[in-house]
Amino acid sequence: MAGPFDDLDPEEPRDFAPPPRPTPTTTPGEVSRAAREGSRDAREGARTAGRSDPGGVRAFSRGAARRCPRCGGGRLFESWFRIKRRCPRCGLRLEREEGGFLGAMTINYAVTAIVWLAVLIVWLVIDLPDVNVLWLTITSIAVAIVVPLLFWPFSKTIWAVVDYLVYRTDPEYASREAADRASGNGGRA
């Protein structure tokens, strides 16, 4: 039976083992009885029983730490600027299609603009009324060059989180065919 995480390309060999699915240690009757008794752990178990997807906050925190949004695995980059095609731990497709990281570039641009704006405001507060335009320009150029270079891998994993959260909410995503169509391979099954 195909599951929502079965988004692998059919032509690619599967050279990794999927992570084991969590299984509840108690039966539903035991969970509800313990939840009635007020056990915090039991209430948490009842709330998360059968759910293996991370929530949005957890997925975004993983992306901000340059980790896989689904399993939290690391080592997603071949180099500082090149992300691997799939997560080495769970096989989640990180780069859906060529040009699919326009969102990552937008995130990178927005963070750069916010950092530059903060530098500008602090500079003006410190340097007014006689603003040293030359040094402000040099600092602005340095921010515009350095921040995007340093933030690039973070923006790519944050965009992978957005992509993951959007595709996993698609009702058809549970089927293998829909996952293959949605994975950026041009609709080829």
Side-chain angles (χ1 to χ4, degrees):
M1 179 164 103
F5 300 130
D6 198 13
D7 63 350
L8 301 175
D9 286 337
E11 66 271 4
E12 289 185 11
R14 189 170 182 169
D15 59 348
F16 59 89
R21 291 201 160 197
T23 56
T25 57
T26 59
T27 64
E30 291 173 327
V31 170
S32 61
R33 185 179 338 107
R36 279 190 306 248
E37 294 172 3
S39 167
R40 180 175 179 217
D41 293 336
R43 284 194 307 270
E44 180 69 18
R47 189 173 61 83
T48 61
R51 188 178 86 183
S52 59
D53 287 348
V57 173
R58 176 172 278 174
F60 272 108
S61 65
R62 288 175 176 174
R66 292 182 17 190
R67 298 194 162 277
C68 174
R70 183 164 64 194
C71 71
R75 302 184 190 268
L76 300 181
F77 289 87
E78 295 171 2
S79 67
W80 189 258
F81 298 106
R82 185 161 172 80
I83 195 167
K84 292 179 180 177
R85 185 173 166 91
R86 298 193 175 277
C87 171
R89 185 171 169 195
C90 71
L92 176 69
R93 191 166 183 178
L94 298 168
E95 201 164 58
R96 294 252 168 223
E97 59 191 27
E98 194 66 34
F101 269 99
L102 182 60
M105 292 184 338
T106 304
I107 291 170
N108 205 2
Y109 176 74
V111 167
T112 302
I114 290 169
V115 169
W116 176 80
L117 191 60
V119 167
L120 177 66
I121 290 170
V122 169
W123 190 286
L124 291 177
V125 166
I126 292 172
D127 209 23
L128 278 178
D130 298 321
V131 177
N132 190 340
V133 176
L134 176 66
W135 285 108
L136 178 60
T137 303
I138 291 170
T139 304
S140 295
I141 291 170
V143 166
I145 292 172
V146 172
V147 171
L149 294 176
L150 293 178
F151 193 71
W152 180 246
F154 297 95
S155 67
K156 287 191 92 161
T157 53
I158 290 170
W159 186 249
V161 170
V162 172
D163 188 51
Y164 167 69
L165 292 175
V166 167
Y167 278 116
R168 81 166 189 189
T169 59
D170 185 0
E172 294 182 0
Y173 189 66
S175 74
R176 169 69 182 220
E177 296 78 26
D180 284 337
R181 281 193 309 274
S183 63
N185 59 7
R188 290 174 273 138

Coordinates of all heavy atoms in Angstrom, one line a residue, residues 29-39 42-43:
G29 N -7.8 1.8 24.2 CA -8.5 1.8 25.4 C -7.6 2.2 26.6 O -8.1 3.0 27.5
E30 N -6.4 1.8 26.6 CA -5.5 2.1 27.7 C -5.2 3.6 27.6 O -5.1 4.3 28.7 CB -4.2 1.3 27.6 CG -4.4 -0.1 27.9 CD -3.1 -0.9 27.7 OE1 -2.4 -0.6 26.7 OE2 -2.9 -1.9 28.4
V31 N -5.0 4.2 26.4 CA -4.7 5.6 26.3 C -5.8 6.4 26.8 O -5.6 7.3 27.6 CB -4.4 5.9 24.8 CG1 -4.3 7.4 24.6 CG2 -3.1 5.3 24.4
S32 N -7.0 6.1 26.4 CA -8.2 6.9 26.8 C -8.4 6.8 28.4 O -8.7 7.8 29.0 CB -9.4 6.5 26.1 OG -9.8 5.2 26.3
R33 N -8.2 5.6 28.9 CA -8.3 5.4 30.4 C -7.3 6.2 31.1 O -7.6 6.9 32.0 CB -8.2 3.9 30.7 CG -8.4 3.7 32.2 CD -8.3 2.2 32.6 NE -8.5 1.2 31.6 CZ -7.5 0.5 31.1 NH1 -6.3 0.7 31.5 NH2 -7.7 -0.4 30.1
A34 N -6.0 6.2 30.6 CA -5.0 6.9 31.3 C -5.2 8.4 31.1 O -4.9 9.2 32.0 CB -3.6 6.5 30.7
A35 N -5.7 8.8 29.9 CA -6.0 10.3 29.7 C -7.1 10.8 30.7 O -7.0 11.9 31.1 CB -6.4 10.5 28.3
R36 N -8.1 9.9 30.9 CA -9.1 10.3 31.9 C -8.5 10.5 33.3 O -9.0 11.3 34.1 CB -10.2 9.3 31.9 CG -11.2 9.4 30.8 CD -12.4 8.5 31.1 NE -11.9 7.1 31.3 CZ -12.1 6.1 30.5 NH1 -12.8 6.3 29.4 NH2 -11.7 4.9 30.7
E37 N -7.5 9.7 33.6 CA -6.9 9.7 34.9 C -6.0 11.0 35.0 O -5.5 11.3 36.1 CB -6.1 8.5 35.2 CG -6.9 7.2 35.3 CD -6.1 6.0 35.4 OE1 -4.9 6.1 35.4 OE2 -6.7 4.9 35.4
G38 N -5.7 11.7 33.9 CA -5.0 12.9 34.0 C -3.5 12.8 33.7 O -2.7 13.7 33.9
S39 N -3.0 11.7 33.2 CA -1.6 11.5 32.9 C -1.2 12.4 31.7 O -1.8 12.2 30.6 CB -1.2 10.1 32.7 OG 0.0 9.9 32.1
A42 N 0.1 10.3 28.8 CA -0.9 9.6 28.1 C -1.7 10.5 27.2 O -2.1 10.1 26.1 CB -1.8 8.9 29.2
R43 N -2.0 11.7 27.7 CA -2.7 12.7 26.8 C -1.9 13.0 25.6 O -2.4 13.1 24.5 CB -3.0 14.0 27.6 CG -4.1 13.8 28.6 CD -4.6 15.2 29.1 NE -3.6 16.0 29.6 CZ -3.2 16.0 30.9 NH1 -3.8 15.2 31.8 NH2 -2.2 16.8 31.3

